[in-house]
Amino acid sequence: MSYIPPLERMRFVIEQVLDAPASWRAMPDFAEVDADLAREVLEQAGRFAQDVIAPLNGPADLQGCTWQSGGTVKTPDGFPAAWRAFVEGGWPALPCAPEDGGQGLPQLLNAALFEMLVGANHAWTMYPGLLHGACEAIRHHAVPALRERYLPRVVSGEWLATMNLTEPQAGSDLGLSRTRCEPVDAAAPVANGAAVTVTGQKIFISGGDQDMTDNIVHLVLARLPGAPDGTKGLTLVLVPKILPDGRRNGAWCDGIEKKMGIKGSATAQMRFEQAEGWILGEPNAGLAAMFLMMNSARLHVGMQGLGHLEAATRIASAYAQERLQLRAPSRPAGSDAAAARGPDPIAWHPAMRRILLDLQARTEGARVIAYWTALLLDEAEHHPDAAVRAQRHDLVALLTPVVKAFLTHLGHHGANEALGVLGGHGYVHDWGIEQHVRDSRIALIYEGTNEIQAIDLLMRKVLDRPGRLALLLEVLRGEAGTLDTLAGTAADGDPAGLARWAALLRDEATTLERATATLQRERAARPDLPFLVADDYLHALGHTLLAWAWARLLRASLGDLDAARRQRLQALCAHGRDWLLPAARWRWTRIESGVPELAWPGL
């Protein structure tokens, strides 16, 4: 099935739910960005996703990438031409700073772009997925000569970039990395911009080689002679595939992985043999420099979850409306009386109806969470008030692991549920849903597995920094207060149930606060407790954020919407409240009631 971008619903979130144009007006850097410009960007992006890369998705999955002798990679047919069209359209430069050759548009619009790109063709989207993070790393850490040489070409998309972290013996534990970098001039100070040679192996490198750009900018974590053990001894090095004098550098692709999904994305095994490069940032501070790239990548990975969830939901909904099977125990009001003898669309059957409503409610709520996070990132980077920037930075830090882990979980498991709606047809390639199941699985793993994201959220972002959670509690209770005010002034008796939603949000905030206090109190006696329940905490917090998102959608539905859209949106929000939130309460209960010790495996 072809990809159809959800432009109307995306615009609704941007304009009505979040009122992003008002936020942009408060930031001088976005003074010229308004709703009309945002709509034009979304429409053009949707056209590119639907017309250019979506038709390549299924064929590329079957064809895959080809590793060739000499260490080069051929991407699927049509990928290089699509990339040239993407570059000509100026899309890589969308969120980059104008002084670097970028368009200087909000991260929110870039997030919406990537939702559509992933929904249309995840494998192709892997190639530009790291560009913005690479731009940030080079922009903030490169010496002027390196920045002038490489940043404009990465911003424009003329050259693509990679992130080289993982090694065979060092997966998530980067402190075990062995790749070495040696100063070219042993007598010169080892400092930012110093020339070095890099030797070592890296694995699972997305786009480690490809035929879409003439050069590739590899950002590599390596260890200088005498560097401290662990992550404190890692240095970030910029290693180009082609050196400035035109020579082929010693950065080689020794093979590509045969994967479960995203087969059009070349996942490379990289070998660096005295590869020439330059230190990026301060020596032995490479992980901090790389985190600019990794945090950007984590938000993009969250958009991958949303893109798959949206696409899978649409496929399942369209199929369920057309597929006639058996007689439904009840029929919607106004259904065709001539069809009363059945068979009925499977969308009318309660089991299928519940799955479809689950998928739709999660999709609409997840989009609000993701777009809100992107809007907060814009404010953290561009708001003229330093206090606002600091507050938004703290909220983004808190939300980033949730967006990465919770949305990718919803995306993969949602695609899997959508496959079940299609039955046997879902299990074959022709309908496209099985590819979404396979392609979406990797997003739960890379840029820090979801388990690591949960631990990062609970330990570093919540328990070690309680002020950040206080900001989120203020958001939840503030929305409850707004809903109460609206309910009190409603002339028609509050038919949307605003007061009930206000009470729900207050209850969610109280539960979140109480569960966190429990963990804070008991972590000294049971140091492993937060690690045991971190996944529960992240998913429970994700559902609390969904409750907030549905409340925001409900409030926005009271605006200028036609009756059918208002009814649909309010029904989805009510479904989330009545069916999905209760199903997640056990996670809070487990955290508060205490968990047993875990037995050691093999006993």
Side-chain angles (χ1 to χ4, degrees):
M1 302 184 85
S2 61
Y3 175 74
I4 301 175
L7 296 177
E8 185 178 21
R9 285 176 283 137
M10 297 168 83
R11 289 196 299 263
F12 180 73
V13 172
I14 291 172
E15 298 174 19
Q16 304 300 320
V17 178
L18 299 177
D19 194 12
S23 175
W24 294 333
R25 286 194 296 272
M27 293 180 276
D29 290 343
F30 300 141
E32 298 181 1
V33 182
D34 57 15
D36 289 339
L37 176 59
R39 288 186 177 198
E40 179 66 19
V41 170
L42 293 180
E43 288 172 6
Q44 294 297 333
R47 189 172 295 117
F48 179 87
Q50 182 174 359
D51 296 344
V52 179
I53 64 172
L56 305 175
N57 193 36
D61 182 58
L62 297 177
Q63 182 184 6
C65 295
T66 305
W67 182 82
Q68 300 170 319
S69 60
T72 61
V73 172
K74 181 184 182 304
T75 59
D77 295 342
F79 272 36
W83 180 252
R84 289 192 294 273
F86 193 66
V87 172
E88 289 168 4
W91 295 109
L94 185 77
C96 299
E99 57 266 30
D100 299 325
Q103 298 187 43
L105 292 176
Q107 287 286 352
L108 174 53
L109 295 182
N110 198 49
L113 165 68
F114 272 82
E115 177 195 339
M116 290 186 276
L117 295 180
V118 171
N121 192 328
H122 185 177
W124 185 91
T125 307
M126 288 297 297
Y127 294 99
L130 294 174
L131 268 185
H132 182 68
C135 290
E136 290 297 294
I138 297 170
R139 183 172 192 256
H140 289 282
H141 295 289
V143 297
L146 281 179
R147 189 162 57 245
E148 293 169 10
R149 184 185 302 155
Y150 289 100
L151 185 56
R153 290 175 171 87
V154 175
V155 166
S156 69
E158 179 185 350
W159 294 345
L160 280 165
T162 69
M163 182 166 61
N164 286 253
L165 283 74
T166 307
E167 298 181 10
Q169 79 290 343
S172 299
D173 188 354
L174 295 176
L176 299 177
S177 300
R178 298 173 184 162
T179 297
R180 308 186 313 277
C181 58
E182 301 273 351
V184 171
D185 184 352
V190 179
N192 188 9
V196 294
T197 60
V198 176
T199 301
Q201 286 184 302
K202 300 288 183 178
I203 61 171
F204 302 152
I205 308 306
S206 297
D209 197 79
Q210 36 79 11
D211 57 356
M212 295 162 59
T213 60
D214 295 332
N215 202 358
I216 302 172
V217 179
H218 300 291
L219 299 186
V220 187
L221 283 180
R223 201 176 293 279
L224 286 161
D229 293 336
T231 58
K232 293 183 179 179
L234 295 175
T235 295
L236 186 60
V237 183
L238 188 154
V239 180
K241 177 182 177 179
I242 306 298
L243 291 162
D245 59 8
R247 287 180 295 126
R248 177 69 163 84
N249 205 357
W252 305 99
C253 172
D254 281 347
I256 55 176
E257 304 295 347
K258 184 177 181 181
K259 306 187 298 294
M260 172 182 176
I262 54 168
K263 296 184 178 182
S265 170
T267 304
Q269 305 158 15
M270 295 298 298
R271 170 172 49 89
F272 296 92
E273 281 192 358
Q274 294 291 301
E276 299 177 35
W278 300 269
I279 292 177
L280 196 62
E282 295 304 313
N284 301 327
L287 197 57
M290 183 68 86
F291 263 119
L292 276 174
M293 198 171 186
M294 292 172 67
N295 283 328
S296 174
R298 285 169 179 164
L299 292 174
H300 278 301
V301 174
M303 301 314 299
Q304 292 171 13
L306 175 58
H308 282 294
L309 183 60
E310 162 65 37
T313 298
R314 186 191 61 79
I315 292 173
S317 298
Y319 181 89
Q321 296 291 343
E322 298 176 359
R323 179 66 166 171
L324 302 178
Q325 293 278 280
L326 307 173
R327 293 190 61 183
S330 61
R331 292 177 172 79
S335 58
D336 188 356
R341 292 184 296 274
D344 293 323
I346 64 172
W348 294 6
H349 291 265
M352 292 296 101
R353 198 160 77 241
R354 178 177 175 181
I355 292 174
L356 294 174
L357 288 170
D358 285 355
L359 291 170
Q360 292 168 2
R362 286 172 179 145
T363 301
E364 301 296 345
R367 181 174 292 113
V368 174
I369 296 170
Y371 285 17
W372 179 50
T373 304
L375 181 60
L376 290 173
L377 180 59
D378 284 324
E379 293 174 345
E381 295 177 345
H382 298 279
H383 200 281
D385 188 325
V388 172
R389 291 199 304 272
Q391 183 192 66
R392 299 302 193 263
H393 172 80
D394 282 344
L395 273 172
V396 170
L398 180 69
L399 293 170
T400 295
V402 183
V403 170
K404 190 279 178 186
F406 188 58
L407 267 61
T408 58
H409 178 92
L410 294 181
H412 174 66
H413 290 278
N416 192 49
E417 291 177 15
L419 185 151
V421 172
L422 276 69
H425 292 291
Y427 201 66
V428 299
H429 187 266
D430 296 3
W431 287 86
I433 190 66
E434 61 86 31
Q435 185 182 342
H436 281 290
V437 175
R438 290 185 289 105
D439 285 356
S440 63
R441 184 59 182 88
I442 184 59
L444 283 70
I445 298 173
Y446 56 33
E447 308 311 336
T449 66
N450 283 4
E451 293 79 10
I452 289 175
Q453 298 298 323
I455 293 168
D456 175 59
L457 168 70
L458 182 53
M459 297 297 292
R460 295 182 62 245
K461 306 297 173 57
V462 173
L463 297 181
D464 291 346
R465 297 288 298 273
R468 288 175 172 172
L469 185 64
L471 291 173
L472 183 58
L473 291 169
E474 183 179 341
V475 170
L476 296 173
R477 288 168 174 149
E479 180 62 24
T482 299
L483 294 174
D484 264 338
T485 300
L486 290 174
T489 58
D492 50 1
D494 189 22
L498 299 175
R500 181 181 176 186
W501 277 97
L504 173 70
L505 286 183
R506 286 195 180 89
D507 183 58
E508 288 290 323
T510 299
T511 303
L512 168 60
E513 190 172 35
R514 188 175 62 235
T516 306
T518 298
L519 292 172
Q520 193 74 270
R521 183 175 60 252
E522 297 186 8
R523 68 188 295 203
R526 290 190 62 185
D528 67 336
L529 179 61
F531 295 90
L532 288 175
V533 299
D535 190 64
D536 288 321
Y537 190 93
L538 185 143
H539 281 268
L541 178 55
H543 280 87
T544 295
L545 288 169
L546 280 178
W548 169 84
W550 291 323
R552 291 292 299 262
L553 284 163
L554 180 75
R555 178 154 63 90
S557 76
L558 303 177
D560 187 18
L561 278 184
D562 62 73
R565 284 188 65 199
R566 179 179 297 111
Q567 182 180 15
R568 171 190 176 274
L569 196 52
Q570 293 184 358
L572 283 180
C573 294
H575 178 82
R577 178 193 64 207
D578 298 338
W579 286 90
L580 298 178
L581 282 181
R585 294 292 298 185
W586 63 269
R587 294 186 182 272
W588 288 130
T589 301
R590 180 154 67 186
I591 291 171
E592 292 191 83
S593 62
V595 296
E597 298 286 351
L598 279 182
W600 291 98
L603 294 181

